[in-house]
Amino acid sequence: MFHSFKIYNQLILRLLFILLGFIGILFFIYQSLFYTSFFTGLLLVLLFIELFFYVKNAFLFYDKTILAILQDDFSADFSKHKSYNNYKNLFYLYDTLKNKRKEQISTDLIYQSIFNNIETGILILKKQNDDWIIFLMNDYFSTHFKVPKVSKWFYLKKQLPSLCNIIEEQNFNEIKTSLQIRVNKQDTQTFIMQSSRTKTYNQEYYVILLDSIQKVVEKKEKEAWINLMKVISHELLNSLTPIRSLSQNLKELVEQENLTTEDFDDMKQSVQTMLNRSNHLQQFVESYRKLAMLPTPQKDKTELNEIINEGLKIMQPLFKKESITVHNTIDFKHWFFVDKLQMEQVIINLLTNSLYALEGKKNKVITIAAETKEKRLFISIMDTGNGIDAAIEDKIFLPFFTTRKEGAGIGLTLSKNIVEAHGGYLTYYNNENITCFTICLIE
């Protein structure tokens, strides 16, 4: 079963010689040639011994090669082996596995390099019998927590008891939490921890990710500031560039000795344009002040439909003008504590957003729904408008970002800030031809 075709032929040939020798002995005995039959018997014994060692060596070579494969020992080179043709299939298997091993080592080195360059603590445990061993610990984890790259769980527990105790208390199940870790007898630091458990090819792994909360906050703050400064720079340049250009033009005009009627008209037009751009800048600054100086909500007991109906009452003339149908499906009374004026502003902003989204649509429908679930109130405003382009989905809540020429770009941002000031959150999703904004308030 294991031998190549050539080995099989050589084995058959040896058996054939032994069979012929055995027949020869019987023939010589029958002819009373006892001495000849004796020497033929000796030759037959030698053939048996040679066959034994041939088969033994063949199987021994197979065993050694297979054992080398099992032990990941691919240091041998059989290309110049004297019996290469006899073990061609075995050598082909060995070389194939050798090449795959080299590819696996290269892949492992690439993954290891990636893990070691990630500024997140990564720890992967592997289950061995009823215990866990350290399968992988990246450089950031080892360096940041001053932990040597140990292989046993109890060694790691001696170094980071605060981390390991939480994992053991949760019985190595999935965790998402924050925790305090004291590093190298210094002040404790807060980290965000996420862990997951997975099983593959009868092996069980436990993956732990640790991020410094300070780093997470700084990253979010930096991204927010960059996006905000882009918008502010864009707005300022849009106003200051034409104002500077017009000022230069006015300077040149007033330096002339004689002014024509056409020059006076140019001056009037320039001054009016500068006034318009200045007004725009003032509105922009007022919008920013409104966002930056949002007052603390003055919460009072309020009925849900009272807020919804007040918002619809204000928006009704615009809806009527645009032939928009509004369905308020909230058929229950619900009292909750909110700042009534601020929450009305959120409803009006979201309805205004739906109003503009329905421009140019034949089927103009806005649906308002609400439900309570797990001590949370969900208020949804849906429309059959144009939806939100995937390219701008991550920008719609940015201050001053707008796709409308007349828009200030603060409606959704202000709404999000108000809802968050109430301890909730504002989300949205696109589903085919429906765009839905949902307000979630924790009660």
Side-chain angles (χ1 to χ4, degrees):
M1 175 168 86
F2 299 103
H3 295 72
S4 67
F5 185 70
K6 191 169 183 179
I7 292 178
Y8 177 77
N9 286 342
Q10 291 180 357
L11 183 61
I12 293 297
L13 187 62
R14 282 171 169 78
L15 291 173
L16 184 61
F17 278 126
I18 291 173
L19 180 62
L20 290 174
F22 184 73
I23 293 173
I25 290 173
L26 294 178
F27 176 76
F28 291 138
I29 292 174
Y30 180 77
Q31 295 294 328
S32 299
L33 300 171
F34 297 108
Y35 287 106
T36 304
S37 62
F38 175 75
F39 285 112
T40 305
L42 288 177
L43 181 61
L44 190 62
V45 171
L46 292 175
L47 285 173
F48 267 114
I49 293 172
E50 194 277 339
L51 176 64
F52 170 78
F53 281 105
Y54 176 80
V55 173
K56 179 182 176 182
N57 289 334
F59 277 98
L60 184 62
F61 188 78
Y62 269 98
D63 286 343
K64 288 174 66 178
T65 307
I66 292 172
L67 185 62
I69 292 173
L70 293 174
Q71 293 178 347
D72 281 341
D73 179 9
F74 293 99
S75 57
D77 181 10
F78 294 115
S79 58
K80 298 179 180 179
H81 196 277
K82 62 181 181 179
S83 302
Y84 182 84
N85 291 327
N86 292 349
Y87 302 97
K88 197 169 184 179
N89 290 335
L90 177 64
F91 294 156
Y92 177 73
L93 172 64
Y94 182 88
D95 289 337
T96 301
L97 294 176
K98 183 178 182 179
N99 291 331
K100 287 185 177 180
R101 180 59 179 164
K102 287 180 179 178
E103 291 176 4
Q104 183 63 46
I105 291 173
S106 299
T107 304
D108 289 345
L109 287 173
I110 292 171
Y111 283 130
Q112 190 173 357
S113 177
I114 293 171
F115 282 136
N116 287 332
N117 282 284
I118 294 175
E119 291 189 359
T120 296
I122 300 175
L123 181 68
I124 303 177
L125 308 179
K126 180 180 178 181
K127 196 162 190 181
Q128 195 174 73
N129 299 324
D130 294 327
D131 200 5
W132 292 89
I133 61 171
I134 311 298
F135 177 75
L136 183 144
M137 179 191 297
N138 74 336
D139 288 349
Y140 182 87
F141 189 100
S142 177
T143 304
H144 193 80
F145 296 106
K146 311 296 181 185
V147 176
K149 291 193 174 182
V150 295
S151 60
K152 301 293 183 181
W153 172 254
F154 64 87
Y155 289 142
L156 180 65
K157 190 174 179 180
K158 289 180 180 179
Q159 301 286 333
L160 288 174
S162 52
L163 171 65
C164 297
N165 288 337
I166 288 177
I167 294 173
E168 287 183 347
E169 286 171 5
Q170 296 298 321
N171 198 25
F172 293 87
N173 290 317
E174 294 189 3
I175 305 171
K176 188 173 183 180
T177 186
S178 60
L179 70 159
Q180 302 284 333
I181 299 179
R182 184 183 296 276
V183 181
N184 200 25
K185 297 182 180 180
Q186 298 176 0
D187 293 338
T188 57
Q189 299 177 34
T190 304
F191 292 86
I192 295 174
M193 171 183 157
Q194 296 183 72
S195 65
S196 60
R197 194 165 173 172
T198 183
K199 195 172 185 179
T200 176
Y201 296 112
N202 297 320
Q203 293 289 342
E204 199 163 0
Y205 297 92
Y206 189 70
V207 182
I208 303 158
L209 303 178
L210 281 169
D211 259 321
S212 168
I213 197 166
Q214 182 181 359
K215 188 182 76 174
V216 173
V217 171
E218 286 176 353
K219 182 181 178 184
K220 294 294 183 184
E221 286 180 348
K222 185 177 180 181
E223 289 175 355
W225 272 109
I226 290 172
N227 288 326
L228 181 59
M229 291 310 297
K230 283 180 180 177
V231 175
I232 292 176
S233 300
H234 176 75
E235 288 294 329
L236 290 176
L237 286 174
N238 277 352
S239 294
L240 292 177
T241 300
I243 288 175
R244 186 179 183 281
S245 176
L246 291 169
S247 299
Q248 183 69 29
N249 186 45
L250 285 173
K251 183 177 179 296
E252 292 174 358
L253 286 172
V254 297
E255 287 177 351
Q256 293 179 183
E257 293 183 1
N258 297 316
L259 296 176
T260 64
T261 304
E262 186 178 347
D263 291 335
F264 277 111
D265 290 338
D266 286 344
M267 291 173 69
K268 288 178 182 179
Q269 187 176 356
S270 296
V271 171
Q272 185 60 49
T273 303
M274 291 170 67
L275 181 62
N276 292 338
R277 295 313 304 175
S278 298
N279 288 337
H280 177 78
L281 267 180
Q282 185 177 1
Q283 291 172 3
F284 176 79
V285 173
E286 283 295 319
S287 299
Y288 181 80
R289 187 181 64 82
K290 189 182 293 186
L291 284 174
M293 301 180 67
L294 181 68
T296 303
Q298 302 300 313
K299 297 182 181 180
D300 198 7
K301 189 175 181 180
T302 311
E303 207 280 313
L304 172 60
N305 260 314
E306 184 181 341
I307 292 177
I308 301 296
N309 291 332
E310 189 63 32
L312 289 174
K313 182 179 177 182
I314 294 171
M315 296 296 296
Q316 187 57 39
L318 293 173
F319 289 156
K320 186 176 181 181
K321 180 182 177 181
E322 298 294 331
S323 302
I324 295 174
T325 303
V326 179
H327 297 302
N328 181 8
T329 64
I330 303 173
D331 57 359
F332 61 91
K333 285 188 174 294
H334 185 81
W335 297 86
F336 61 140
F337 284 88
V338 291
D339 186 313
K340 183 180 176 182
L341 293 178
Q342 287 189 7
M343 200 53 62
E344 280 180 5
Q345 185 63 54
V346 173
I347 299 299
I348 292 169
N349 288 346
L350 295 179
L351 290 173
T352 302
N353 194 69
S354 294
L355 172 71
Y356 287 107
L358 290 167
E359 285 183 350
K361 303 292 288 187
K362 290 183 179 180
N363 182 30
K364 300 181 179 183
V365 179
I366 296 175
T367 304
I368 303 172
E371 65 172 335
T372 56
K373 185 168 58 178
E374 297 177 353
K375 295 183 179 181
R376 285 172 167 79
L377 172 65
F378 297 90
I379 307 168
S380 298
I381 297 179
M382 296 162 277
D383 64 67
T384 56
N386 296 314
I388 298 170
D389 192 342
I392 63 169
E393 281 185 352
D394 59 338
K395 300 177 182 176
I396 62 169
F397 290 117
L398 288 177
F400 315 114
F401 176 81
T402 180
T403 56
R404 304 199 315 268
K405 290 182 179 180
E406 301 82 8
I410 66 166
L412 288 177
T413 309
L414 184 60
S415 300
K416 184 174 182 289
N417 289 353
I418 290 173
V419 174
E420 289 177 351
H422 281 74
Y425 57 86
L426 176 63
T427 61
Y428 76 93
Y429 70 87
N430 288 327
N431 184 11
E432 296 179 356
N433 297 323
I434 300 292
T435 299
C436 176
F437 281 86
T438 300
I439 302 165
C440 175
L441 297 172
I442 302 171
E443 301 185 286

